[in-house]
Amino acid sequence: MEKTILQSIVNKYNLDGLIENAKWEINEDVVNIKGISPNKNLVCDITAPFPYKDLEFVVYGTSRLLKLINVVDKEVDIKFESENHITTKMRITDSSYELEYILADLMLAPAIPSVTEPNYEIKFDLDSDLANKFIKAKKSLDTGVVSITPTQNQTLKFVIGETNNYSDKISFEHPATYDTLAIKSLFFNVDELKSIFQDNRCNGQGFINMEGIIKLQFDDNNIMSEYIIIAE
């Protein structure tokens, strides 16, 4: 496996350290990874090709795994070890190194509630241009909030900055599709969205329910990522 593919899969749920613990399920050469943020407002679901069969385990401390992966070269071989039918170790090797990462018991898998999705009134395209705009704006301001507001012109207005009238702000608009809506703003954690865009500078679809839910779906060379976030 290419090292960059493994890193991409892991980064898409780790989100720059936001989600450290996740359950991996591998079945018929496909891995599915589910995670939830510490404050329970963000759920992610990652699916990708992964050439192994019928394994499940918990990665507990994903940042440690990423540090190990950084050591190896471009091509890696991955093997799993089990004891008493429980997957206990991930072994990653290249031409120079052999790494061992200890896997956690399934009892430590994060409890992820089932999400009953609403009707989404707003649909918009995701692409690298939106991702780069968002990341650039966030890097320019030390703030924890982004507001998203549908306009009268079939666009979404993103405003990065605190909600008071005395703080610096950066705003930009992005095309969207929706029927007539009552205009109101939804507020989200800007760091969570920045981390999602940082690890998904690719095409996809976004959906918003005006009661306060945003869903983002990406397809990055067959690595499928979905994020559902509840507004603040």
Side-chain angles (χ1 to χ4, degrees), residues 32-231:
N32 178 248
I33 306 170
K34 290 183 171 64
I36 188 168
S37 63
N39 61 6
K40 314 297 185 186
N41 75 308
L42 184 158
V43 174
C44 71
D45 189 324
I46 314 299
T47 302
F50 207 74
Y52 300 89
K53 298 182 185 299
D54 300 329
L55 293 171
E56 59 178 355
F57 51 85
V58 173
V59 171
Y60 202 82
T62 298
S63 292
R64 298 196 335 269
L65 175 60
L66 283 169
K67 287 179 181 179
L68 290 178
I69 296 171
N70 284 337
V71 173
V72 294
D73 209 344
K74 295 179 181 179
E75 292 287 336
V76 298
D77 181 59
I78 305 171
K79 289 183 171 61
F80 295 93
E81 296 183 8
S82 299
E83 294 180 9
N84 300 320
H85 306 291
I86 298 172
T87 308
T88 58
K89 187 180 297 184
M90 181 189 299
R91 191 183 296 273
I92 305 171
T93 58
D94 67 359
S95 58
S96 300
Y97 295 99
E98 180 176 305
L99 315 176
E100 293 183 2
Y101 182 82
I102 303 303
L103 302 169
D105 192 284
L106 289 173
M107 293 179 62
L108 295 175
I112 300 177
S114 59
V115 178
T116 302
E117 293 191 47
N119 176 53
Y120 294 102
E121 301 99 336
I122 300 175
K123 179 179 178 180
F124 58 103
D125 290 334
L126 303 169
D127 53 31
S128 60
D129 181 59
L130 173 59
N132 290 333
K133 276 185 179 179
F134 194 98
I135 293 165
K136 187 176 182 179
K138 171 59 184 83
K139 285 181 177 179
S140 301
L141 286 176
D142 184 16
T143 179
V145 179
V146 56
S147 67
I148 303 176
T149 310
T151 72
Q152 300 286 358
N153 303 314
Q154 295 286 301
T155 65
L156 294 174
K157 184 176 183 179
F158 291 77
V159 179
I160 296 175
E162 299 300 325
T163 57
N164 61 59
N165 293 324
Y166 310 102
S167 298
D168 298 332
K169 295 178 177 63
I170 297 176
S171 64
F172 60 89
E173 295 187 15
H174 185 76
T177 302
Y178 46 87
D179 295 327
T180 303
L181 292 171
I183 302 300
K184 70 174 184 177
S185 299
L186 299 178
F187 297 89
F188 295 93
N189 183 299
V190 69
D191 292 303
E192 291 175 352
L193 283 172
K194 186 207 78 170
S195 294
I196 290 171
F197 284 129
Q198 191 167 266
D199 291 308
N200 293 277
R201 302 191 198 212
C202 55
N203 292 339
Q205 291 287 323
F207 308 86
I208 294 177
N209 172 271
M210 290 306 293
E211 294 301 314
I213 297 177
I214 186 170
K215 177 167 76 171
L216 305 175
Q217 295 177 321
F218 300 90
D219 181 355
D220 186 3
N221 294 314
N222 294 320
I223 303 175
M224 312 299 292
S225 306
E226 178 178 284
Y227 308 88
I228 295 177
I229 313 170
I230 299 173

Side-chain angles (χ1 to χ4, degrees), residues 12-27:
K12 287 180 191 303
Y13 81 81
N14 180 243
L15 298 176
D16 201 25
L18 176 66
I19 296 176
E20 283 292 331
N21 311 319
K23 183 180 179 182
W24 293 40
E25 294 186 44
I26 305 170
N27 186 35

